[in-house]
Amino acid sequence: MSQSFAPFYDVNRTYEDNYLQGPFGAFAEVMKGDSAAGASAQSAQTTQSQSSDQAEEFLGFRVNLPFGIPAGPLLNERFTTAAFRMGFDLAVYKTVRSRAWGCNAFPNVLAVHPKNADGSLVPGSAELDEGVLADTRYELPISISNSFGVPSRDPDEWQPDMKKAIAAAGDGQLLVPSFQGSRVDGMDRKAYIADHVTTAHLVTETGAGLMEMNTSCPNEGHNRLLCHDPHLVGEITEAVKNEIGDRPLIVKLAYIPNDTDLETMVRETVGHGTVQGFSTINTISARLVDANGNQALPGVGRDRSGVCGNAIRGAGLDMVGRLAAIREKLGLDFVIVGVGGVIRPDDYKAYREAGANAVMSATGAMWDANLACEIKETLR
């Protein structure tokens, strides 16, 4: 690795090893001394949190600073509690399913090096299909591959762990569970919708006060995302909302290039009162190649991967700005969570100025565990 900082998710270990042994680096250090039974909500309060007079409201919950870590690198309660300890006041528990689901083969993470001088990837550009260099040369500003396949433990394991994670949030901190439906062979549309409802119900049993539904990972086949079908998302969110009641529901979106499609998504969900917010973006899909032009990640169907980190900040800001414009145009009330390429305090400010009610960082936070504290320092 080209710099000394140890990410809290160790990219040189398997997903299973990270789940069982992590977190690492500064996240591991901050967790030392915790009792085996876990800490109380009061002791989870980080000394780096903002004072109460700076707190903001987020979907009916008070948060010290609407900044945190999105679904992905926070694998279980140890990871989410460490995030709270490090001053990340919003922590999204990695996406869960109604059944156990395996992870893609190791490696899952590689460093990604776009050709643009600023390290950016532009949605729709030829480079995404021609090939982007990926290797183990991790450098700042960091961009990486995200090729996990949305693994999940069995509900018998994740439910009690999620309940612990919720309880570990300190004053002005909020645990956000993420979930998705699972499409399996032979499953029709009705059963697919029902699986979302089943999983949402399992989340409610943990005592969660809100939740996020992931529509931005492949559910409809290769390179087909659920969020590309706003009508189906509308059907699913209506069924889920009937199950979860007054709990706020956030939908996680990938990059949607067409304004008409994005507006249709808003109308089909927020317009029907089923969704209270959007989190965007997830990753940008790209063909990843090694220095010789060969497939970088091993295995069938892994020629492409989601790219996250510095490379996707422009796309994330674009989505947030367009969603904010649609929100104003339609006169609808919903929150926007800006995600993608937040690696420095100025990126947090840029997302808020673009219209985001909250901001999250996955890759940036992995490589800079002090990012939340750094942002809070700039706001004092």
Side-chain angles (χ1 to χ4, degrees):
M1 209 167 284
S2 301
Q3 29 74 46
S4 59
F5 182 78
F8 66 74
Y9 180 98
D10 189 341
V11 299
N12 297 309
R13 303 183 193 227
T14 66
Y15 176 85
E16 186 71 10
D17 283 348
N18 272 276
Y19 189 96
L20 295 175
Q21 301 168 20
F24 300 97
F27 272 36
E29 291 299 314
V30 81
M31 291 293 284
K32 285 184 177 178
D34 277 8
S35 66
S40 67
Q42 195 61 29
S43 66
Q45 174 63 35
T46 173
T47 57
Q48 299 293 338
S49 291
Q50 290 188 292
S51 60
S52 58
D53 61 342
Q54 293 176 299
E56 296 187 38
E57 187 269 342
F58 178 76
L59 289 173
F61 298 87
R62 175 185 163 278
V63 293
N64 299 313
L65 181 73
F67 179 69
I69 298 177
L74 301 181
L75 310 189
N76 53 40
E77 179 271 330
R78 294 191 309 279
F79 282 81
T80 57
T81 299
F84 287 140
R85 295 268 204 281
M86 294 299 296
F88 295 90
D89 295 321
L90 294 170
V92 183
Y93 193 105
K94 185 170 175 60
T95 306
V96 295
R97 299 175 181 263
S98 63
R99 65 203 74 195
W101 201 271
C103 183
N104 287 346
F106 180 85
N108 309 101
V109 175
L110 291 174
V112 176
H113 310 283
K115 294 175 183 176
N116 286 340
D118 63 357
S120 66
L121 285 175
V122 179
S125 65
E127 183 180 11
L128 300 177
D129 295 322
E130 293 171 352
V132 184
L133 177 63
D135 54 29
T136 56
R137 186 166 44 93
Y138 297 95
E139 297 175 334
L140 300 178
I142 188 73
S143 295
I144 61 173
S145 68
N146 177 342
S147 179
F148 291 89
V150 198
S152 175
R153 316 303 271 200
D154 185 271
D156 287 345
E157 184 174 351
W158 67 251
Q159 277 190 303
D161 188 69
M162 184 180 287
K163 189 173 184 178
K164 247 178 100 175
I166 293 169
D171 183 37
Q173 297 183 324
L174 181 64
L175 192 285
V176 183
S178 174
F179 77 97
Q180 74 174 57
S182 300
R183 183 178 285 283
V184 297
D185 290 340
M187 180 179 278
D188 62 15
R189 187 183 185 97
K190 183 177 179 181
Y192 183 48
I193 294 172
D195 191 69
H196 282 82
V197 175
T198 295
T199 314
H201 176 77
L202 291 169
V203 172
T204 67
E205 291 181 335
T206 68
L210 77 168
M211 63 188 73
E212 176 181 287
M213 189 177 93
N214 185 6
T215 69
S216 51
C217 288
N219 286 300
E220 307 299 302
H222 187 54
N223 290 332
R224 175 65 177 172
L225 307 181
L226 174 56
C227 64
H228 291 164
D229 188 342
H231 303 293
L232 179 53
V233 173
E235 284 187 56
I236 294 172
T237 54
E238 182 177 3
V240 166
K241 192 62 175 171
N242 286 337
E243 180 65 35
I244 69 174
D246 292 337
R247 294 174 181 85
L249 177 63
I250 302 168
V251 169
K252 183 71 173 284
L253 298 175
Y255 184 83
I256 298 175
N258 186 286
D259 284 347
T260 300
D261 292 340
L262 186 56
E263 183 172 324
T264 299
M265 174 66 74
V266 174
R267 290 181 181 275
E268 290 287 321
T269 55
V270 179
H272 293 166
T274 60
V275 167
Q276 286 67 53
F278 294 103
S279 177
T280 189
I281 60 176
N282 192 321
T283 63
I284 292 179
S285 175
R287 177 172 171 260
L288 300 186
V289 297
D290 62 20
N292 297 317
N294 300 316
Q295 181 175 320
L297 289 163
V300 177
R302 298 183 74 197
D303 57 316
R304 301 184 73 91
S305 171
V307 174
C308 48
N310 179 68
I312 70 170
R313 181 169 53 257
L317 285 166
D318 176 63
M319 268 287 283
V320 167
R322 289 162 55 220
L323 263 179
I326 291 170
R327 179 172 59 186
E328 183 175 358
K329 172 187 173 182
L330 300 182
L332 293 173
D333 182 22
F334 61 90
V335 303
I336 301 171
V337 182
V339 188
V342 179
I343 58 177
R344 58 181 73 86
D346 283 350
D347 300 330
Y348 170 84
K349 295 176 183 176
Y351 268 101
R352 292 304 300 267
E353 290 170 0
N357 303 90
V359 182
M360 293 189 181
S361 170
T363 308
M366 281 172 61
W367 261 261
D368 182 3
N370 294 313
L371 184 56
C373 299
E374 292 164 6
I375 291 171
K376 289 174 180 179
E377 276 299 316
T378 68
L379 299 176
R380 291 188 191 282

